[in-house]
Amino acid sequence: MTQRLLSFEKSVPGRRSAVVPPLDVPMPELPRAFARQSDLPLPQLCELDVSRHYKQLADCAYGVNSGFYPLGSCTMKYNPAVNEAAAALPGFQQAHPLAPEEATRGCRAAMAELERDLCEVTGMDAFTLQPAAGAHGELTGLLLIKAYHEARGDSRRVRMLVPDSAHGTNPASAAMAGYTVVSVRSRADGCVDLDHLRSLLGDDVAGIMLTNPNTLGLFERDILTISELVHGAGGLLYYDGANLNAILGLARPGDMGFDVTHLNLHKTFATPHGGGGPGSGPVGVKAALKPFLPVTASAGAADGLQVKAFYGNFSVMLKALCYLKVLGGDGLAQAGRHAVLNANYLLHRLRQAGYAPAYDQPCMHEFVLCLEAIKHETGVSALDVAKAMIDHGIHPPTMYFPLIVHEALMFEPTETEDQATLERVADIMKEILSQARSDPQSLHEAPHNAPIGRPDEVKAAREPVLKYQPERP
Ligand SMILES: *Cc1c(COP(=O)(O)O)cnc(C)c1O
């Protein structure tokens, strides 16, 4: 069954939404060159059809407000509505980026306050709010590291170390910043292999990019040693802040030895994401890198280096500021603790349900399952299980990431889910596993209840069909 989702497919010849009164003035003659020579192929619908059409499309979208959304490495937490209300205040919303300075003092004070709060949360000395996303923050941060080394006349540092478990944006950003990417191996316990790291260090190493907890949801316990080693070799430490939620209010990258960090305000600091919308990837630095930082609100006017127009995505900053103020220091720490507790609880229940963690140890805010044994036994893959979850009304977790785990499913429940939800999810996962054993074919064909089942992902990426092609008569 394919649902008709396009307005063109719902068109009924002759249907109209508006009835225009008959013309009671002379009809002007349009010059032929400007007049359309054939009918415009628009969908023909009445107003109720149109209303239902958009409601149907809206119902196809799945968000945190629809249900459980454990997309690992994305922190799909509930975003309180009060943040939206604060960002929508007319004094903020109607501010113009070119308005004179004296007319935007409040806006700039809000940004400067956010910069200060982010310094406090991360242990950094200064922040710029300009970058538009995490990846943009990475590029900005790496260019700062580059500027720092060059200003010291240290131009031989061409290599950037990146663990093999890293998010794909890390090596991509390092390459864009002009660095040669060098992969650091993970040990059997999922953390950075210190011996391999030692063997890679030298006076051509500009730095290392790390996220802590790492993309396996494990805390890099050797972070202080890593910091000592890399700094000892003259390199700097870059913190990918996408996983800050786990240590929010509890530990700070600045205290672990990191020199530069980006944050994903649209993950940790409660801006909805996943569907497009603007993001924000502020970059914080230690004092030694402050001279190279692009525009900051704390420093006053929007002069200085730009990595984006004006100050960045202002509404996202306001939501983050509101979130920080509502929670306060204790509330942030509680969010961090609950994120870790929820992940460990779900990990425990999934282990009981018959799933194997990729690394059998307590996790931080997320964990990775390895379904290789299940695939071997039943033929059902991580992809099949993820698709089956859709039929149960929950969003699939992140799949096939990090790349070092085979048949990976990466769950991040976040602190905003309650115990009953986690229990229900564990029950659903148990049911899917027993179905994998009794009727694997039905899982290969899942989802059965979604408007789109199994698109050809390669074809969809290579030959996207982004607009409707009417059939020409
Ligand atoms: C999401 C993510 C990024 C990239 O952030 P964007 O805001 O999506 O550009 C980088 N690293 C990790 C670990 C992430 O989860």
Side-chain angles (χ1 to χ4, degrees):
M1 176 207 69
T2 46
Q3 246 176 299
R4 289 184 306 160
L5 285 174
L6 300 178
S7 58
F8 292 96
E9 297 166 331
K10 298 171 184 167
S11 178
V12 179
R15 271 206 192 161
R16 292 286 180 274
S17 282
V19 180
V20 183
L23 197 64
D24 58 358
V25 291
M27 175 79 166
E29 271 299 314
L30 278 180
R32 205 182 137 71
F34 297 134
R36 176 173 289 283
Q37 301 307 314
S38 60
D39 281 346
L40 186 63
L42 290 177
Q44 303 185 46
L45 301 164
C46 70
E47 188 175 325
L48 180 57
D49 295 333
V50 173
S51 175
R52 286 180 178 158
H53 171 65
Y54 284 107
K55 177 70 169 75
Q56 188 194 7
L57 290 185
D59 288 345
C60 289
Y62 188 97
V64 176
N65 313 61
S66 321
F68 190 59
Y69 205 138
L71 201 63
S73 210
C74 285
T75 311
M76 304 296 284
K77 62 172 79 177
Y78 169 66
N79 309 294
V82 65
N83 303 341
E84 299 293 332
L89 290 172
F92 289 139
Q93 201 184 39
Q94 288 163 23
H96 193 283
L98 290 176
E101 258 191 70
E102 59 274 18
T104 55
R105 283 207 182 114
C107 295
R108 282 181 294 112
M111 287 188 279
E113 181 142 1
L114 178 60
E115 287 174 3
R116 277 194 300 277
D117 285 358
L118 295 181
C119 283
E120 197 174 325
V121 168
T122 57
M124 293 287 154
D125 295 319
F127 256 92
T128 174
L129 302 173
Q130 267 210 329
H136 193 194
E138 288 170 26
L139 177 64
T140 305
L142 291 169
L143 292 175
L144 291 173
I145 290 177
K146 200 168 207 184
Y148 168 85
H149 288 309
E150 277 170 9
R152 293 156 49 96
D154 198 351
S155 52
R156 277 169 312 173
R157 298 190 178 270
V158 292
R159 304 205 299 161
M160 184 58 64
L161 308 183
V162 180
D164 56 8
S165 64
H167 192 263
T169 51
N170 290 187
S173 301
M176 271 186 84
Y179 285 117
T180 304
V181 178
V182 180
S183 181
V184 189
R185 279 198 298 267
S186 303
R187 285 187 309 235
D189 69 357
C191 292
V192 169
D193 183 332
L194 291 183
D195 292 332
H196 191 225
L197 173 63
R198 275 193 198 92
S199 75
L200 297 172
L201 288 173
D203 61 6
D204 60 346
V205 169
I208 186 168
M209 300 180 83
L210 286 178
T211 174
N212 196 15
N214 65 23
T215 54
L216 299 162
L218 305 173
F219 193 83
E220 295 280 358
R221 287 183 307 276
D222 296 322
I223 184 59
L224 295 179
T225 309
I226 294 172
S227 162
E228 236 176 77
L229 288 173
V230 174
H231 283 143
L236 296 181
L237 275 80
Y238 182 93
Y239 183 74
D240 173 342
N243 292 329
L244 188 78
N245 212 52
I247 56 168
L248 205 53
L250 302 168
R252 310 192 305 171
D255 301 332
M256 297 177 203
F258 287 97
D259 304 286
V260 186
T261 174
H262 84 254
L263 299 176
N264 304 61
L265 297 190
H266 48 281
K267 293 179 179 173
T268 320
F269 295 99
T271 273
H273 70 292
S280 179
V283 170
V285 293
K286 285 290 181 63
L289 288 110
K290 205 171 159 182
F292 312 106
L293 206 60
V295 167
T296 70
S298 310
D303 44 16
L305 280 170
Q306 305 264 152
V307 291
K308 190 179 183 309
F310 307 109
Y311 291 97
N313 286 328
F314 184 48
S315 74
V316 183
M317 298 169 204
L318 294 169
K319 291 175 209 177
L321 181 62
C322 185
Y323 182 73
L324 282 159
K325 295 299 178 201
V326 169
L327 264 66
D330 292 344
L332 291 178
Q334 210 175 338
R337 280 196 197 97
H338 277 174
V340 174
L341 178 63
N342 272 358
N344 277 286
Y345 189 81
L346 186 60
L347 171 60
H348 174 68
R349 298 289 282 113
L350 292 183
R351 207 190 263 123
Q352 287 178 333
Y355 291 91
Y359 296 88
D360 204 0
Q361 52 181 296
C363 64
M364 294 293 285
H365 65 308
E366 63 190 3
F367 59 87
V368 182
L369 299 180
C370 172
L371 275 71
E372 209 170 16
I374 292 172
K375 187 173 179 189
H376 195 72
E377 177 201 335
T378 65
V380 166
S381 65
L383 176 73
D384 294 336
V385 171
K387 294 283 186 188
M389 288 171 73
I390 298 173
D391 280 335
H392 288 275
I394 56 182
H395 197 281
T398 295
M399 302 180 297
Y400 298 99
F401 173 75
L403 303 176
I404 56 174
V405 178
H406 296 146
E407 295 299 319
L409 286 183
M410 180 195 223
F411 284 79
E412 180 180 5
T414 83
E415 69 277 15
T416 54
E417 296 298 340
D418 66 3
Q419 190 181 1
T421 303
L422 301 179
E423 292 290 358
R424 194 173 62 82
V425 170
D427 289 345
I428 289 171
M429 293 300 289
K430 193 172 175 181
E431 198 182 317
I432 292 174
L433 188 52
S434 75
Q435 201 183 340
R437 293 187 171 122
S438 63
D439 183 10
Q441 189 53 34
S442 74
L443 292 188
H444 296 320
E445 289 159 15
H448 299 273
N449 304 326
I452 294 172
R454 300 250 178 162
D456 178 338
E457 289 174 17
V458 175
K459 194 172 160 69
R462 299 266 160 85
E463 301 163 37
V465 180
L466 300 177
K467 65 178 190 192
Y468 178 68
Q469 290 292 355
E471 284 164 41
R472 300 260 169 219

